[in-house]
Amino acid sequence: MNAFNFLLINRENKPRTKGITMVLDKGLGLETASSLMEIAGEYVDFVKFGWGTTVVHNYDLIKDKIAMYKSHNIIPYTGGTLFELAYANGKLDEFFKEAHELGFPAVEISDGSCMMNHDDKINCIKLAKDEGFIVLSEVGKKNPDLDKKISLEQRINQMNNELDAGSSYIIVEAREGGKNIGIFDKSGNVKSDDVNFICNHVDVNKILWEAPNKDQQVFFILNFGKDVNLGNISSDEITSLETLRRGLRGDTFNKIE
């Protein structure tokens, strides 16, 4: 039982179908990550091993971290950039094989950094599903200039096509900074009209909004409720986000049902 449990607003327990929290692991040590999960693992649904960080870390350490996350009923998965590196170098077979060997139950399929025909991306989603992985796919470019060239209609079509191809969730690109890309302006403010337009055309329960900054998290929680799906949460902000979801912080105090 939690301290002051009588003040806790209930949320769906894991495995959750809504109110998903995806945390970004940018290279945590095993002991640090394990300690974090001991105190806050019940609030984490997915952990993304950021971009290509796994390539510069010890194989056994990565394998042990994956096992640790899974022991907390968390789904760890490979960052999209890692997939893109494998795709660009013609190493997809090796990529899927090693992801299996390490114990990853899920992979991210993206085209944020590389040039990829959308049909190829759809085929990669289907291939990853055939390989037995849970698939999260990401829509958007990491270069703001390239991202701005994607119209809302194109973004929505891509999202729906990727869901049809087998993606469990569609991640809306915002990077770890959350500024001047996708649904965020140069100051990190949410483009609410764009968000509402997307939600009118895509199943909101299948959207994972990257919202690394507190003000962005508050926006989504106040506008879509405590059970909105949020991602790219810093590992040291897990508890902060959960208190926002539960109305335990000034920004959402007495505003959560």
Side-chain angles (χ1 to χ4, degrees):
M1 179 182 294
N2 292 343
F4 302 102
N5 194 63
F6 53 88
L7 295 174
L8 189 65
I9 293 173
N10 287 330
R11 282 219 305 132
E12 185 176 301
N13 293 323
K14 293 196 294 185
R16 279 181 278 267
T17 58
K18 58 186 179 180
I20 299 298
T21 293
M22 178 266 277
V23 171
L24 184 62
D25 182 331
K26 298 190 285 187
L28 294 172
L30 177 59
E31 291 184 6
T32 299
S34 182
S35 293
L36 278 169
M37 294 308 105
E38 286 295 330
I39 195 169
E42 64 182 297
Y43 310 125
V44 180
D45 302 279
F46 289 90
V47 168
K48 178 195 290 191
F49 282 62
W51 51 96
T53 53
T54 50
V55 180
V56 295
H57 290 156
N58 178 268
Y59 180 99
D60 290 332
L61 171 62
I62 297 299
K63 192 168 187 176
D64 288 345
K65 281 177 64 178
I66 291 168
M68 181 276 296
Y69 284 129
K70 289 163 74 173
S71 74
H72 288 276
N73 199 18
I74 294 166
I75 299 173
Y77 70 98
T78 57
T81 302
L82 187 67
F83 156 77
E84 292 182 49
L85 285 166
Y87 171 85
N89 287 281
K91 300 288 185 180
L92 283 184
D93 288 344
E94 293 92 331
F95 168 74
F96 289 132
K97 181 175 182 291
E98 184 145 326
H100 274 307
E101 291 173 348
L102 285 164
F104 279 111
V107 296
E108 180 182 312
I109 304 297
S110 66
D111 58 352
S113 299
C114 72
M115 299 304 295
M116 183 188 301
N117 182 284
H118 192 61
D119 287 340
D120 285 347
K121 187 179 181 186
I122 294 297
N123 288 335
C124 287
I125 291 170
K126 293 178 178 177
L127 179 60
K129 287 287 292 183
D130 289 343
E131 287 282 341
F133 292 103
I134 299 166
V135 177
L136 299 91
S137 61
E138 186 173 67
V139 172
K141 294 292 185 181
K142 298 190 182 301
N143 182 315
D145 293 331
L146 294 176
D147 191 73
K148 286 180 173 63
K149 293 180 180 179
I150 306 173
S151 70
L152 269 178
E153 289 77 10
Q154 288 174 314
R155 212 174 293 264
I156 287 165
N157 285 337
Q158 290 177 17
M159 294 170 80
N160 283 320
N161 288 341
E162 292 172 24
L163 286 172
D164 289 342
S167 290
S168 294
Y169 292 97
I170 302 296
I171 302 166
V172 180
E173 175 70 78
R175 308 201 70 179
E176 69 268 27
K179 293 182 180 180
N180 195 32
I181 196 163
I183 57 169
F184 301 118
D185 65 19
K186 290 182 179 180
S187 299
N189 299 311
V190 181
K191 300 176 185 177
S192 56
D193 288 345
D194 289 5
V195 168
N196 290 330
F197 190 78
I198 291 171
C199 290
N200 286 334
H201 294 85
V202 182
D203 183 354
V204 69
N205 292 318
K206 297 295 185 179
I207 301 174
L208 186 54
W209 307 98
E210 288 191 342
N213 302 321
K214 189 192 78 168
D215 289 347
Q216 298 163 354
Q217 297 159 16
V218 170
F219 169 87
F220 281 107
I221 291 168
L222 292 182
N223 284 275
F224 295 96
K226 66 181 184 296
D227 290 322
V228 65
N229 301 324
L230 299 174
N232 268 21
I233 307 304
S234 172
S235 57
D236 60 357
E237 294 292 330
I238 299 168
T239 294
S240 171
L241 172 58
E242 193 63 25
T243 59
L244 289 172
R245 290 190 187 275
R246 309 265 190 155
L248 298 170
R249 194 166 180 177
D251 309 83
T252 57
F253 182 80
N254 273 350
K255 299 174 183 177
I256 302 298
E257 296 181 359

